[in-house]
Amino acid sequence: MTPDEFRRLGRQAVDFIADYWEHVENMPVLCPMAPGAVAAGLPERPPEQGQSWEGVFQDLTQIVLPGLTHWQSPNFFAYFPANGSFPAVIADLISTGLGVQGMLWATSPACTEMETRMLDWLVEMLGLPAEFRSDQSGGGVIHSTASEAVLTALVAARHRLRSREAGARGDAPRECVYASTQAHSSVVKAAMIAGLADGPDDRSRIRLIPTDHRHAMRPDLLERAMRADAAAGLAPLMVVATIGTTGSTAIDPVDRIASVCAPHGAWLHVDAAFAGSALLCPENRWMARGVEAADSFCFNPHKWMLTSFDCSCFWVRDRGALTSALSITPEYLRNAASQSGRVIDYRDWQIPLGRRFRALKLWMVIRHYGVDGLRAHIREHLRIAALFERLILDDDRFEICAPRTVSLVCFRLHPRAGESPEQTDARNRRLMDAANASGDLYLTHTSLPTVHDDQTAGPPRLVLRMAIGATLTREEHVRAAFSRLSNLAE
Ligand code: PLP
């Protein structure tokens, strides 16, 4: 392809994306196709000869678009959003076009130095501890996902613990990881990958701490578990506190968790994958009280900060703990800049070697919107989430199932007199399935424990999650979603 052909087709691709964003609102949000339907439209064998781009664009419209679930639709309320924006799309296009691979400072200084600067900007933007800045003991790095960040934190924590304990014990102690029952499954997955769990149900070295009536981790039970493990000769390795759990955006009390963690010398990782973006607004920073004591912190701009997937920001208080766990230098990567000790080589801050120029995305998004624009984006979603919550509260067929901390509303149809819990769950599932089949909106569910005010636990119940945060979502979409749900409610 010549540069002139690229110019022409590139413009066509940009038009394709702009048209998609203009019309995505009218497409059925959840893909209605059956498994195999997309594959059926694709030839079984690759073409021997190059093909025309006319056909490629035609297939994009006829085969690919109908096979999508539209994450950028303003009517997407499922999981957590994967926020995109035109500034981020432009940045990704340019990043791919430049085609640099920033594994070492020397392989593209701009890739590294811009990343360092962006992550320092974000420390200030989110009100994170100054120690996370690169000109202090710490620093930040862009990973693909929060799952990668928690695994990296675990590996760094293990290295720190083992270096401290070297020679102190004959046998390697059995290390334990702690998180709440509401923590994301990536914590257990990280333990599985790191060899601390044989499978998702292996709890021999993972303690999932029960939550209170707000679905937040109970520090008293964390303390009990850590003490019991320490007394039994086990080594408390890492605690994961969540700011905005996946199920209900519950806020674990990071300050109290940090106090429990400290005497054991365990690594404290704070996972704020979704809700972290809310810290842009000073009025939300109560959620992160205690983060000053964290060893690491992660949030995903790709969830709620207008930065297209993938972009997960991960900071550590002590970059040495990270790099000493992950650094390995074969001869072919040696270079004068690295050896001078004056540069960051981000390959030592992550699992893979290679890395894309993702900082461009943060740079262009922050420059385009400004911090004020990003705050306005968050505040508007919080406003319309409160509005949706009000609509639910005002309709006596529904109930709210968890305190709303950010823009996720957990709700369900009230149990009816004489109805079993299973029947209530089934009625709620039917409502969700019917809403999703309508194509007008897409929302997902979870199961939340019932915890009474006196902390006694009841059975889990099915809860519907209305996650507001897609870039294009406005008040009218939230009102329309409520009307649809209200009309479909049995
Ligand atoms: N942590 C929390 C609290 C999440 O909600 C999620 C995903 O929704 C994750 C971690 C995992 O995110 P990722 O897809 O970036 O690994």
Side-chain angles (χ1 to χ4, degrees):
M1 188 180 287
T2 64
D4 274 344
E5 280 174 311
F6 173 69
R7 278 191 186 94
R8 187 174 59 78
L9 291 166
R11 286 190 187 112
Q12 197 174 333
V14 168
D15 282 344
F16 173 84
I17 298 167
D19 288 349
Y20 176 70
W21 277 64
E22 260 174 0
H23 297 116
V24 66
E25 173 166 2
N26 305 318
M27 301 177 188
V29 193
L30 173 65
C31 177
M33 288 178 121
V38 176
L42 301 170
E44 283 190 10
R45 311 288 324 281
E48 288 296 332
Q49 259 75 53
Q51 299 186 330
S52 88
W53 274 86
E54 207 175 292
V56 174
F57 276 108
Q58 212 168 50
D59 287 351
L60 261 181
T61 306
Q62 288 173 4
I63 301 173
V64 178
L65 285 189
L68 296 183
T69 288
H70 299 289
W71 284 72
Q72 302 310 321
S73 166
N75 301 312
F76 183 98
F77 304 109
Y79 309 104
F80 281 132
N83 256 209
S85 70
F86 289 138
V89 173
I90 293 171
D92 260 350
L93 177 65
I94 294 174
S95 164
T96 307
L98 296 176
V100 304
Q101 210 274 55
M103 58 190 182
L104 301 167
W105 176 88
T107 60
S108 261
C111 182
T112 295
E113 293 188 14
M114 183 179 288
E115 187 158 330
T116 308
R117 183 54 52 93
M118 290 307 105
L119 277 279
D120 282 349
W121 278 8
L122 280 163
V123 168
E124 181 186 319
M125 287 165 66
L126 302 187
L128 295 176
E131 289 85 346
F132 286 175
R133 289 178 55 93
S134 63
D135 55 6
Q136 307 228 1
S137 57
V141 58
I142 303 177
H143 283 177
S144 290
T145 64
S147 304
E148 199 180 321
V150 73
L151 173 61
T152 308
L154 180 58
V155 170
R158 184 172 60 183
H159 184 81
R160 183 176 81 175
L161 180 76
R162 290 186 184 175
S163 324
R164 276 183 191 159
E165 303 233 331
R169 296 170 195 244
D171 300 327
R174 279 155 53 85
E175 294 136 343
C176 296
V177 174
Y178 307 80
S180 90
T181 51
Q182 293 297 306
H184 191 262
S185 57
S186 52
V187 179
V188 175
K189 188 166 179 175
M192 287 160 61
I193 296 169
L196 299 182
D198 287 339
D201 300 320
D202 178 4
R203 293 284 174 272
S204 52
R205 299 164 87 174
I206 298 171
R207 312 281 176 253
L208 294 185
I209 307 297
T211 50
D212 62 15
H213 60 290
R214 305 175 73 84
H215 308 294
M217 191 199 286
R218 284 184 54 190
D220 57 327
L221 297 185
L222 173 68
E223 178 161 33
R224 197 183 296 170
M226 292 183 90
R227 277 208 188 141
D229 285 337
L234 306 182
L237 170 63
M238 177 165 92
V239 178
V240 179
T242 309
I243 296 181
T245 57
T246 314
S248 70
T249 54
I251 312 292
D252 286 345
V254 179
D255 50 353
R256 292 171 60 206
I257 290 171
S259 315
V260 172
C261 205
H264 298 281
W267 184 287
L268 176 58
H269 175 68
V270 176
D271 173 4
F274 174 67
S277 296
L279 302 178
L280 287 165
C281 309
E283 67 271 24
N284 299 325
R285 297 207 180 133
W286 61 269
M287 295 178 208
R289 203 172 297 131
V291 73
E292 317 76 66
D295 291 290
S296 54
F297 177 92
C298 161
F299 94 108
N300 288 359
H302 71 231
K303 278 184 162 61
W304 202 15
M305 211 190 83
L306 295 168
T307 309
S308 308
F309 191 84
D310 56 348
C311 182
S312 180
C313 295
F314 174 59
W315 286 267
V316 284
R317 159 184 307 281
D318 171 14
R319 57 180 171 270
L322 190 60
T323 54
S324 52
L326 295 175
S327 185
I328 171 167
T329 307
E331 186 54 34
Y332 43 81
L333 294 179
R334 277 188 207 288
N335 67 87
S338 301
Q339 276 163 325
S340 75
R342 293 176 49 228
V343 300
I344 288 179
D345 288 331
Y346 275 125
R347 70 184 177 111
D348 296 333
W349 296 52
Q350 62 174 24
I351 294 162
L353 170 63
R355 58 204 324 278
R356 290 181 294 116
F357 195 171
R358 279 178 294 213
L360 268 183
K361 238 177 338 199
L362 287 174
W363 192 50
M364 292 190 185
V365 164
I366 297 169
R367 287 184 70 168
H368 179 84
Y369 293 99
V371 181
D372 258 2
L374 295 172
R375 286 192 185 123
H377 163 75
I378 298 291
R379 285 180 180 138
E380 176 59 5
H381 283 159
L382 293 176
R383 185 187 75 79
I384 56 180
L387 179 123
F388 183 82
E389 181 182 45
R390 179 85 274 157
L391 293 171
I392 291 286
L393 284 168
D394 287 349
D395 185 327
D396 56 16
R397 292 168 302 166
F398 291 105
E399 64 181 4
I400 292 289
C401 303
R404 184 183 60 77
T405 60
V406 273
S407 62
L408 173 72
V409 182
C410 291
F411 69 103
R412 67 169 184 166
L413 289 163
H414 259 309
R416 283 184 186 143
E419 192 178 50
S420 70
E422 293 73 25
Q423 285 169 325
T424 313
D425 284 358
R427 208 155 43 86
N428 275 287
R429 196 181 283 276
R430 282 198 298 278
L431 171 60
M432 177 177 73
D433 290 345
N436 293 343
S438 75
D440 292 343
L441 71 151
Y442 179 28
L443 79 172
T444 47
H445 73 286
T446 192
S447 160
L448 288 179
T450 351
V451 182
H452 308 296
D453 285 344
D454 65 358
Q455 309 282 17
T456 53
R461 57 190 178 172
L462 186 125
V463 165
L464 306 184
R465 295 169 73 262
M466 177 82 175
I468 295 167
T471 302
L472 299 175
T473 303
R474 295 186 304 273
E475 178 173 332
E476 71 208 61
H477 304 106
V478 165
R479 285 191 183 276
F482 176 76
S483 302
R484 200 75 172 107
L485 289 162
S486 161
N487 291 338
L488 289 167
E490 293 172 31

